[in-house]
Amino acid sequence: MGTNKSLSQIRRMDHLGLVAGVARRVRLVEILDRLIPPAPQRRVSVGEAVLALVLNGLGFVSRPLYLTPAYFEGKPVGPLIRTGLRAEDLNEFVLGRALDDLHEAGLSRLFLHLASAAVGLSRRGVTFFHLDSTSFTLSGRYAGSENREDEAEEDGEPDVVRITHGYSKDHRPDLKQFVLNMITLHKSRIPVWIEALDGNTVDKTSFSRTIDAFLAQVGESDGLRCFVADSALYTKKTIGGLSGKVQWVTRVPETVGPLKKLLEEIPEESFVFDPERPGYRWCELGSTFGGVRQRWVVVFSRSARDREAKTLERAVERERKTLEKALKEITGLRFSCPDDARKAWDSLRAGSRYHRFSAGELTEERGYASPGRPRDGASPRTLGVRITGTFETDPDAVEKTLARKGFFVVATNALDDTRLSGRDLLDLYKAQGTSIELGFRFLKDPLFFADAFFLKSEKRIMALTMVMAIALLIYALAEEELRETLKKLRESLPDQKKKPTSRPTMRWIFQLMDNIHWKPSRGDPGGEVWMKDVQRKIVSFFSPEVRRSTGSDKP
């Protein structure tokens, strides 16, 4: 009987001890509870509720918010969050009120305060930030958003997002959505700013406002601040407004007028080859587009050329099929006069980019006015005109189009090339794919609890985006800490193929930490933890807070 009771008290901790330990290291609960003081009648503080949501989200079991109590039934709630706390305390009403309190306190400001303390933002000198946006789709009706659909932005509650249709980056234009702008640190997924926006928000207008809001909260700094973003940042109004405040690095859109002519005029010998970056070459030019002095780095990428060549092949084939269908239709028509036939033929030719047509051949069609046997003495007359011809692929047009492929232009208002060289600018822009884009991929992971939003309140949805960002912050900080420690100690851990690596992902580390069990211990609120040797080795590379949270280091 005693054995059965003891077994019923065993809980699975798995990788959640790492998550709770990193949260303690950045003082997540303490900071949130200081900014949002706990109400005396509440058993769970806002900070503790947020930590519970983060643990749920990083549990990678795809359990929605209202199932959080069920999720924690098999977890050691006391060691992970606070001694004395129970799974039933983390119910949907407690968590919902916590989300309301977060929204009331100001989400972006609150998150910046937490992230700044976690990464030491105020102590950094030269700092590069990556800015981008994504969209989250939702199903269902949102009365608040629908009622404000036609109202001005200043009316009602401007701090509540409007869930509505807009450009869907998830390729689901049938669903309503909201937009999330995020700023991360360079070469990391560590977020320092998040901002939920209306579903029909356009990047070209929102990016500059996001940077202004971020700078207003961060305050003055002696260090250089440089923002890296995609081509949506590059508009005359935006770069003109930002150039007196910060430095920026962005891609020049292909729609910018001077760009197409520029690519045709640059001689081959102007490009610089870098042996450290095979497949790339670039050259630097000056520009005053939008009245702003700036540097343009024209980059040619062999891999991009190869990708775009395949895309061009598909475009040529699609156009061929379209022209075949149109040609069949036009040759089957009988026109009333040669001019109409020629106009239709010229219109068909004008719609072709990669094919050339033969000269259309006109054929006069003669016959009698009425069907049946003609009358005696009746003579045939002209009934109309038909036109026929052929087309073929135009190799010159295809080659001319391909010659412009593989190029892109990175622009910056940082004129001192000794501080930011052309190579640095290329690296900065390419880092978008390994920093903020990886962060968005994390937030949209099917196993992450934010994959589908189920809340009915726009305010709580906004608050949940902050919880998502906190989960990403803790995940990225844990990964950074582990990799830096492994590099410093020249140590490694086994990867999925059993080979040593010094740069493991936290997703893989979480899998290695599977099947860690906890049980209560008489006289020790921390209890006992059972783990394998490789798991103890992993924990040893983390801070004392993490080691204590996993039970491998008693204070």
Side-chain angles (χ1 to χ4, degrees):
M1 197 70 160
T3 302
N4 291 337
K5 182 179 180 181
S6 178
L7 289 175
S8 68
Q9 294 177 319
I10 294 176
R11 300 288 183 265
R12 287 191 61 168
M13 179 178 283
D14 298 330
H15 63 277
L16 297 183
L18 293 180
V19 177
V22 176
R24 286 191 173 94
R25 180 170 66 82
V26 301
R27 298 170 50 245
L28 169 65
V29 175
E30 290 88 341
I31 291 176
L32 291 179
D33 287 349
R34 185 178 73 249
L35 297 175
I36 309 175
Q41 68 276 17
R42 294 189 188 178
R43 181 173 173 79
V44 182
S45 69
V46 172
E48 292 167 347
V50 169
L51 177 55
L53 288 171
V54 169
L55 291 169
N56 187 0
L58 291 179
F60 296 111
V61 292
S62 192
R63 282 181 181 267
L65 180 63
Y66 63 87
L67 292 180
T68 298
Y71 172 73
F72 279 107
E73 283 180 0
K75 307 298 179 185
V77 177
L80 291 176
I81 303 177
R82 172 172 58 81
T83 302
L85 206 60
R86 300 167 301 176
E88 54 266 29
D89 295 326
L90 304 172
N91 55 65
E92 59 181 299
F93 303 105
V94 169
L95 302 179
R97 285 197 301 265
L99 293 176
D100 292 336
D101 291 340
L102 288 174
H103 182 273
E104 187 69 23
L107 298 170
S108 296
R109 179 189 64 82
L110 206 62
F111 182 78
L112 176 62
H113 191 98
L114 177 64
S116 179
V119 303
L121 191 61
S122 61
R123 299 190 299 272
R124 294 176 182 259
V126 178
T127 306
F128 298 98
F129 300 100
H130 291 266
L131 166 64
D132 207 349
S133 71
T134 191
S135 58
F136 289 90
T137 56
L138 305 96
S139 57
R141 299 187 61 182
Y142 294 87
S145 297
E146 292 171 0
N147 294 337
R148 293 190 296 124
E149 192 71 36
D150 298 322
E151 296 179 7
E153 195 169 303
E154 293 79 14
D155 296 337
E157 297 179 280
D159 60 333
V160 179
V161 295
R162 184 167 53 193
I163 297 171
T164 185
H165 294 285
Y167 174 72
S168 176
K169 298 185 179 183
D170 291 331
H171 307 292
R172 290 298 307 270
D174 56 311
L175 296 178
K176 293 182 179 180
Q177 64 178 20
F178 70 92
V179 173
L180 181 68
N181 281 8
M182 185 166 70
I183 297 175
T184 64
L185 294 182
H186 180 49
K187 290 186 177 180
S188 76
R189 283 184 278 187
I190 299 175
V192 294
W193 180 266
I194 53 108
E195 189 174 14
L197 302 169
D198 292 349
N200 57 0
T201 300
V202 180
D203 290 349
K204 289 183 178 180
T205 57
S206 72
F207 277 1
S208 59
R209 293 199 296 263
T210 294
I211 293 175
D212 287 339
F214 175 73
L215 294 176
Q217 291 294 329
V218 172
E220 298 295 328
S221 173
D222 296 331
L224 167 69
R225 292 200 180 101
C226 184
F227 288 85
V228 186
D230 63 22
S231 59
L233 188 72
Y234 198 84
T235 67
K236 290 182 179 180
K237 182 178 181 180
T238 300
I239 64 175
L242 291 178
S243 292
K245 306 172 187 176
V246 296
Q247 292 184 350
W248 45 261
V249 175
T250 184
R251 180 171 176 168
V252 180
E254 295 180 1
T255 54
V256 171
L259 190 56
K260 293 182 179 179
K261 186 177 180 181
L262 174 67
L263 296 179
E264 296 174 355
E265 295 177 346
I266 300 178
E268 182 77 18
E269 57 271 16
S270 299
F271 285 86
V272 176
F273 292 84
D274 188 347
E276 296 182 5
R277 291 163 180 78
Y280 284 93
R281 64 178 189 266
W282 64 83
C283 69
E284 287 196 34
L285 303 170
S287 175
T288 56
F289 180 81
V292 177
R293 289 184 61 203
Q294 54 196 280
R295 294 158 56 206
W296 279 15
V297 179
V298 184
V299 183
F300 173 79
S301 167
R302 171 55 59 184
S303 60
R305 164 71 66 85
D306 293 341
R307 289 194 305 271
E308 292 174 1
K310 293 179 180 179
T311 303
L312 179 60
E313 288 178 8
R314 293 193 293 268
V316 173
E317 180 62 17
R318 282 196 303 269
E319 184 179 87
R320 183 189 66 79
K321 292 180 178 179
T322 301
L323 292 176
E324 283 181 346
K325 182 178 179 181
L327 182 61
K328 185 177 180 180
E329 291 177 356
I330 200 173
T331 54
L333 295 176
R334 185 170 64 191
F335 297 92
S336 59
C337 65
D339 286 343
D340 289 346
R342 285 291 181 192
K343 287 179 181 178
W345 186 256
D346 291 342
S347 176
L348 181 61
R349 294 174 59 185
S352 171
R353 295 182 59 187
Y354 310 115
H355 295 82
R356 59 191 178 193
F357 283 73
S358 63
E361 183 178 345
L362 295 174
T363 303
E364 189 178 75
E365 187 172 300
R366 299 177 63 82
Y368 295 92
S370 58
R373 183 177 179 177
R375 296 177 183 178
D376 292 340
S379 59
R381 64 184 183 86
T382 301
L383 299 179
V385 177
R386 294 186 183 275
I387 190 165
T388 59
T390 60
F391 70 90
E392 62 181 358
T393 302
D394 185 351
D396 293 336
V398 174
E399 185 62 31
K400 185 178 180 180
T401 303
L402 184 61
R404 294 195 297 266
K405 300 295 184 180
F407 289 92
F408 61 93
V409 178
V410 178
T412 181
N413 64 338
L415 302 179
D416 186 357
D417 58 3
T418 62
R419 300 190 68 177
L420 280 177
S421 65
R423 178 188 299 174
D424 295 333
L425 293 175
L426 175 59
D427 289 344
L428 276 171
Y429 183 75
K430 288 179 63 180
Q432 285 280 97
T434 57
S435 56
I436 195 163
E437 290 181 10
L438 285 181
F440 285 144
R441 194 180 307 169
F442 170 89
L443 294 178
K444 293 192 170 187
D445 191 299
L447 291 178
F448 194 46
F449 73 101
D451 177 59
F453 283 86
F454 43 82
L455 301 175
K456 296 182 179 180
S457 164
E458 290 91 341
K459 292 182 179 180
R460 291 188 178 183
I461 288 175
M462 291 176 67
L464 191 59
T465 61
M466 177 185 168
V467 177
M468 293 159 48
I470 292 174
L472 173 59
L473 174 67
I474 290 176
Y475 181 95
L477 287 173
E479 188 172 84
E480 182 182 71
E481 180 183 357
L482 177 60
R483 290 179 175 182
E484 288 181 352
T485 304
L486 290 174
K487 181 180 179 180
K488 181 180 179 180
L489 299 179
R490 297 183 180 180
E491 286 277 1
S492 63
L493 291 168
D495 64 9
Q496 291 90 332
K497 297 181 179 180
K498 309 296 183 182
K499 295 182 179 180
T501 177
S502 60
R503 292 184 59 80
T505 65
M506 284 309 297
R507 173 63 65 88
W508 171 241
I509 294 300
F510 285 174
Q511 293 181 36
L512 288 178
M513 299 294 286
D514 198 27
N515 279 321
I516 295 179
H517 291 82
W518 174 94
K519 76 169 185 176
S521 176
R522 183 175 300 176
D524 185 358
E528 297 180 14
V529 177
W530 301 328
M531 61 176 66
K532 303 174 186 176
D533 291 341
V534 67
Q535 294 167 337
R536 292 189 180 277
K537 182 179 180 181
I538 291 172
V539 173
S540 70
F541 295 129
F542 283 92
S543 63
E545 292 88 350
V546 174
R547 295 197 294 269
R548 285 195 293 271
S549 294
T550 55
S552 62
D553 184 14
K554 299 296 181 180

